[in-house]
Amino acid sequence: MTYTCQKVSRAIGHYRRYDKQMMAGLFQQAGLECITQKYINAPGALGWWVNGRLRKQDTPPSGQLRLFNRIVPTIKRVERAVPMPFGISLLAVGQKD
């Protein structure tokens, strides 16, 4: 069986991943103006890739999750100051045209 990062996403309840272009298109289809978009949780994306692609695991190891939970406040501060070119999540804000 081939393991992919998608398998990790599905194992933790995520069924779709969007990039900025895809999300902007969905906003437009819904008649919304996309005000801002930004990726968040870049370290989570790296862990997702390492676990899914390199380690071929379906779910993140509990030790990694505990460590990640400890560093979340630092990640938040860094990501507020520095825009990330990638992340495990995409935050998008829109308004009616």
Side-chain angles (χ1 to χ4, degrees), residues 4-89:
T4 67
C5 294
Q6 287 181 347
K7 190 167 185 164
V8 174
S9 291
R10 288 194 177 111
I12 58 174
H14 296 274
Y15 295 94
R16 292 177 194 87
R17 293 282 178 198
Y18 299 99
D19 63 24
K20 288 182 177 181
Q21 184 178 4
M22 292 165 62
M23 187 61 70
L26 291 171
F27 273 46
Q28 185 177 24
Q29 288 175 15
L32 300 171
E33 177 187 2
C34 189
I35 303 300
T36 187
Q37 297 186 70
K38 70 177 191 174
Y39 289 111
I40 55 177
N41 193 358
L46 292 172
W48 174 74
W49 184 82
V50 167
N51 288 320
R53 290 287 176 149
L54 301 181
R55 300 180 77 194
K56 303 196 184 316
Q57 296 179 330
D58 292 351
T59 57
S62 61
Q64 280 183 5
L65 293 174
R66 282 192 299 276
L67 172 63
F68 181 75
N69 286 334
R70 285 189 203 131
I71 64 172
V72 164
T74 302
I75 293 168
K76 284 182 173 181
R77 283 192 298 277
V78 169
E79 289 186 346
R80 281 186 191 125
V82 180
M84 294 291 123
F86 64 92
I88 205 163
S89 299

